[in-house]
Structure formats: C-alpha cells, structure tokens
Amino acid sequence: EDTFRLELDKYIQNLKINLDLEQKSLDTCVSPYLRSWFEDAICPIQRVVQLFQDKLAPLLHAALSYTPVEVKNASERTEKDISRFLAAASLQGLVQEGTMTSLCIAMTEEQHKSMVIDCSGPQPQLHNAGSNRFCEDWMQAFLNGTEGGNPFLFRQILENFKLKAIQDINNLKRFIRQAEMNHYALFKCYLFLKNCGSGDILLKIVKVEHAEMPEARNVVTVLEEFLRE
C-alpha cells in the first residue's frame, strides 16, 4: 500500500533488527511483532483522531508549523501514536530539508515553550496550543470520517491536507515573486493570506525559504505588518 510506505518501511527495519538479534527468537519476538503490524503501522492516525476529536486542530497546526510537542501522562502506545501522527501530518519530504531545519529552529526559539498535551483525563488537555481556520476545517473532515471507521480513509484525508498546504505554499511563493515587481500583486498576496485560513504558518515557511533573497524578504516583511494590523 503506497499510502503507508513510510510506516511499513520503518516496521520492516525493526523486524530486521529483531531477526538479526536472535535467529532463534522467531516464536517469542518475531511472530507477535508480525501479528501486530496492522495495529502499529496503520491504525495510529485513526486512534489519535478518536482520542482528540474536536481538539485535533491544534495537533494539525503543531505538525504543519513544526511546533515542539510534549506529551505527559500518556500510555506508551498513545505517546507513540501521537508522535506518529505528527510525523505523518508534517510536510517533511515535501518541502526542502533546509527549510524544515530552519523552521524547527525558528519555532523553538520563537515560542520558548512546547505545546503540552496532558493525557491524564479521558480526553487530552492542551496547553500553549495554536490553531487556525485551515486546521479547523480539516479537523472537520477527519471527524466526518470517523463514522465509517476505515483507517485507510484517515490516511487519505491526511495526505489531502498536506497536499492542500503545499499548493497554498506554492501559490503564495508565486504571488510573492509577482509582488516583487508590482503593488497590486502585493495586495493579492495579502488577500490570499487572509483567505486561505493558514496565513500564520505559510508566511513563516516562505520567510524561512526566502531568508537569503532581499526582494522577497521585503515583501514578506510588509505582509507581516499588514497581517498584524
């Protein structure tokens, strides 16, 4: 299944480690490991959606913006599920590696604090959480998907969420290139950021990518001021 390629690659790597460790341990280690592949590799996204429900938007926001996340009082499985969800929802591999690194550094420096997820109650409590309209809308798509209960559907929704974010980033970059020459295009940039629902994150991403380009950087600075006002 192409959709879960990364999860399955990781799963097989761990399987190889188990096999290398002890050829004789097939019955005790490897067979149970193989039996649990579906639960471990395919179901985490669905479990996270069911656990967070209407608090899913801040988790999507943290994944997109590379905000550090700290999980407290969770079972080992829930903690793994959340970290798998964040990895699956992030734009890693879809935007330049250097951008990701710079974004992680920028977010860590800027916030001085992680988003904290406290799992001691029946539903997680979130502290220092951010969100935006884009993530709220996509959260609704996930919640609508819970009725069917198909784990593959959740992954498809997640892929569509990332695809839309990438399209928005590319559109914004195109508008910024036009705005370097033309004030009307600058206004178009501003309208796009206001209407796309994820202007806060998109602007951070392009700011990091355009750090070395003075014209684009000036456009980004003006847009930041517009959005603040």
Side-chain angles (χ1 to χ4, degrees), residues 12-28:
I12 297 300
Q13 277 170 1
N14 285 335
L15 176 61
K16 189 177 177 312
I17 291 167
N18 276 334
L19 283 173
D20 291 346
L21 280 176
E22 177 91 59
Q23 288 295 327
K24 293 174 196 152
S25 67
L26 276 173
D27 289 342
T28 50

Side-chain angles (χ1 to χ4, degrees), residues 35-145:
R35 276 199 296 276
S36 68
W37 77 271
F38 187 78
E39 277 295 307
D40 286 353
I42 310 295
C43 296
I45 295 171
Q46 183 177 28
R47 286 198 294 264
V48 166
V49 173
Q50 287 166 342
L51 176 66
F52 279 77
Q53 295 182 16
D54 59 357
K55 292 187 174 175
L56 191 69
L59 203 61
L60 292 169
H61 189 269
L64 266 194
S65 59
Y66 283 81
T67 301
V69 173
E70 198 182 319
V71 181
K72 292 182 168 174
N73 305 315
S75 69
E76 190 186 349
R77 181 165 91 161
T78 298
E79 199 165 335
K80 271 188 183 158
D81 282 354
I82 292 170
S83 97
R84 282 176 174 143
F85 183 92
L86 288 167
S90 80
L91 298 180
Q92 200 144 19
L94 296 175
V95 297
Q96 300 159 6
E97 249 343 280
T99 301
M100 291 295 82
T101 312
S102 310
L103 203 56
C104 291
I105 293 167
M107 292 308 287
T108 311
E109 281 174 357
E110 181 183 311
Q111 306 207 331
H112 301 301
K113 51 188 177 193
S114 315
M115 176 171 111
V116 179
I117 300 172
D118 184 352
C119 294
S120 46
Q123 203 194 3
Q125 297 302 308
L126 310 181
H127 308 283
N128 312 328
S131 187
N132 60 29
R133 201 175 70 245
F134 181 79
C135 295
E136 301 280 340
D137 290 347
W138 279 96
M139 173 180 79
Q140 218 37 64
F142 279 103
L143 295 181
N144 296 344

